[in-house]
């Protein structure tokens, strides 16, 4: 959560995954995330959101359960 205000950890940009059924709303959310500093990824329809939500629990488990700390986040690497 502490990286949500900058969209990055250190010098690495994080990825904000956005799912929804309304294209206009997704564009708005993606623009807001980009303005904060995130890279964005259109993850598809709203039904995909159920797969994105557990990613937050994974970060909590990594950060606190496995003592990786709170300066972590997701980044989608495209080749």
């Amino acid at each position: 959560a502490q990286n949500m205000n900058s969209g990055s950890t250190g010098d690495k940009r994080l990825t904000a995954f956005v799912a929804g059924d309304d294209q206009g709303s997704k564009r708005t959310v993606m623009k807001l995330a980009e303005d904060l500093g995130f890279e964005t990824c259109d993850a598809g329809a709203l039904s995909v959101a159920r797969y994105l939500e557990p990613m937050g629990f994974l970060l909590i488990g990594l950060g606190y359960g496995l003592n990786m700390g709170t300066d972590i986040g997701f980044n989608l690497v495209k080749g």
Side-chain angles (χ1 to χ4, degrees):
Q2 76 185 42
N3 300 319
M4 297 302 286
N5 66 342
S6 67
S8 64
T9 179
D11 62 349
K12 304 218 187 299
R13 287 179 72 190
L14 301 176
T15 303
F17 298 91
V18 180
D21 291 335
D22 183 286
Q23 293 303 315
S25 296
K26 277 203 291 192
R27 279 192 300 273
T28 299
V29 170
M30 291 174 79
K31 173 74 169 97
L32 289 169
E34 289 167 2
D35 288 348
L36 287 170
F38 285 91
E39 292 182 2
T40 57
C41 176
D42 183 340
L46 184 59
S47 61
V48 174
R50 69 184 300 246
Y51 303 112
L52 300 179
E53 292 170 357
M55 292 171 68
F57 292 109
L58 176 59
L59 280 180
I60 292 167
L62 293 173
Y64 294 103
L66 296 177
N67 299 314
M68 291 185 184
T70 57
D71 202 21
I72 61 175
F74 292 110
N75 178 271
L76 177 65
V77 177
K78 304 172 206 165

